[in-house]
Amino acid sequence: MNIVEEKWEEIIEHLKVEHDLSNVSFNTWIRPLKVYDIIDDTVIILVNSNSSVEYIEKKYLLPLKVCIADITGEEYEIRFLSEDDNVLEELKSNPSESTVKKRTKSAAEKAGLNPKYTFDTFVVGGNNNFAHAASLAVAESPGEVYNPLFLYGGVGLGKTHLMHSIAHFILDKNPKKKVLYVTSETFTNELIEALKMGKTSGNESAISKFRDKYRNNDVLLIDDIQFIIGKESTQEEFFHTFNHLHTSGKQIIISSDKPPKDIETLEARLRTRFEWGLIADISAPNYETRMAILQKKIELDQLEKYNIPKDVLKYIAENVKTNIRELEGSLNKLIALYKLNHEGEIDIPLAAEALKDIISSDNKREVTPELILDIVADHFGITVADLKSNKRNADIAFPRQIAMFLIRTMTESSLKAVGIILGGKDHSTVKYGIEKIASEEKKDETLNNTINIIRKKINPA
Ligand SMILES: Nc1ncnc2c1ncn2[C@@H]1O[C@H](COP(=O)(O)OP(=O)(O)OP(=O)(O)O)[C@@H](O)[C@H]1O
């Protein structure tokens, strides 16, 4: 039995809770659904003859997809079929020739790449032209020109974007190439887990699986290497991974917030190796480049329809100088405020309002609850609104508890204040969340590693 069939009851109960469905809606639309078959990564769901496939598709397709992913940890496409549908007959008689649209993941999706981060969407300016040229050279001839390629620069300046661009370029040219992109946090946490499994069950295959995953690549990209902090076993393992790939002529690309010589926690033998290839820095963009990045974003996100006046764009580019993520965030915020403000115009006062909450690294960074929320949300790839919401799926509830814990331990906030900051959570929820993380952090080395990385992101000092 496939995991979706096995957990179907749990999936629909989750849907009911998450979307606050009344008993009537649930019993009318959801309860009668049946899993008919699973072909590749598509779940075929039967809708009974009394219901409308169109209605269910419109209303429940996406929620159901999310709930399936929440409960099973796997992503599936969904196809609803009516019991009367003659496609069903075809399916029964010839399942392999089914009319179900098969969707196979592209190599880039499998490699975990952001489709938006390509060379085409990267604006080249004086701050990054060397790093860009080096990245392009490596993408054109991986393993041949600069190995390793070491990219460094401050927060939000485009290191990850360039790394993904290289990976996309290589896979576009040859989808069979083995390309793996991970953060150093993932590398560390997977190693900890593999070592733990080896220890508890005496099962050495976990560690050999880990080694296979990292060594069996044509291109390995490791982001934010500065977070391989003070962990001897991780540095040791990475040293061997590096040697293995390098001696077999495979390309290694590393990013960091500092050049190798300035990463204090790095072992000397790794530092030397990182200096073997080419080191390229990315610095903060100048005004013209910031304007060009804003224009590019308008084009890519189809924001032309808002006719943002030039002086408003100039105002943003003049005020957000050292972090491109914040530059983009300002534009998003501006549009969001404009949409809320039905009567208004897009003008400088609105832009000033949008910039109010942007924590610019130009100013001295104070550790505030808002900063912690921003960093936790960014770390887990969710939004601050998710953290403040009442959503209970683990992907959000767990980061929320981490945010509670960090706000409580890194700022002077009381339990009550933490609850308010997180969208009005009550005292006992906050207390439970904080205690849970505090006790798990002591026992669970992976969680401890993740929390330390987030702490460093909040307060690099
Ligand atoms: N030159 C550029 N052209 C267009 N977009 C850019 C450019 N540089 C950065 N960006 C955008 O800015 C955002 C932040 O970039 P990215 O995540 O690559 O930064 P980073 O240096 O890896 O940050 P961190 O230090 O937090 O890991 C992304 O949305 C990225 O697309």
Side-chain angles (χ1 to χ4, degrees), residues 209-222:
K209 248 186 170 163
F210 172 91
R211 289 188 177 139
D212 276 353
K213 171 171 174 182
Y214 285 94
R215 295 180 188 187
N216 186 13
N217 286 302
D218 298 306
V219 184
L220 176 67
L221 304 103
I222 303 259

Side-chain angles (χ1 to χ4, degrees), residues 114 116-118 121-125 127-128 152-163 181 223-224 226-227 255-257 282 285 289 292-294 296-297 300 323-328 378 457:
N114 184 331
K116 290 185 180 163
Y117 292 175
T118 62
T121 60
F122 190 82
V123 175
V124 183
N127 62 315
N128 59 26
Y152 77 92
V155 174
L157 290 180
K159 302 179 292 290
T160 304
H161 189 140
L162 266 186
M163 293 179 106
Y181 164 88
D223 208 349
D224 287 329
Q226 75 272 19
F227 293 129
S255 89
S256 169
D257 62 344
I282 307 184
T289 310
I293 290 171
L294 288 174
K296 187 81 181 179
K297 181 153 169 80
L300 293 172
N323 182 331
I324 297 171
R325 192 175 296 120
E326 288 179 358
L327 190 68
E328 295 183 334
D378 190 59
K457 287 187 176 175

Side-chain angles (χ1 to χ4, degrees), residues 161-206:
H161 189 140
L162 266 186
M163 293 179 106
H164 284 216
S165 307
I166 300 173
H168 275 299
F169 188 100
I170 296 171
L171 286 172
D172 280 352
K173 258 199 349 201
N174 183 354
K176 294 223 158 59
K177 283 263 182 211
K178 290 197 148 220
V179 175
L180 179 64
Y181 164 88
V182 287
T183 60
S184 71
E185 177 190 358
T186 302
F187 182 88
T188 306
N189 287 350
E190 291 188 359
L191 177 65
I192 294 171
E193 289 302 319
L195 290 172
K196 201 157 73 186
M197 273 170 76
K199 241 184 242 160
T200 50
S201 57
N203 175 355
E204 286 302 318
S205 72

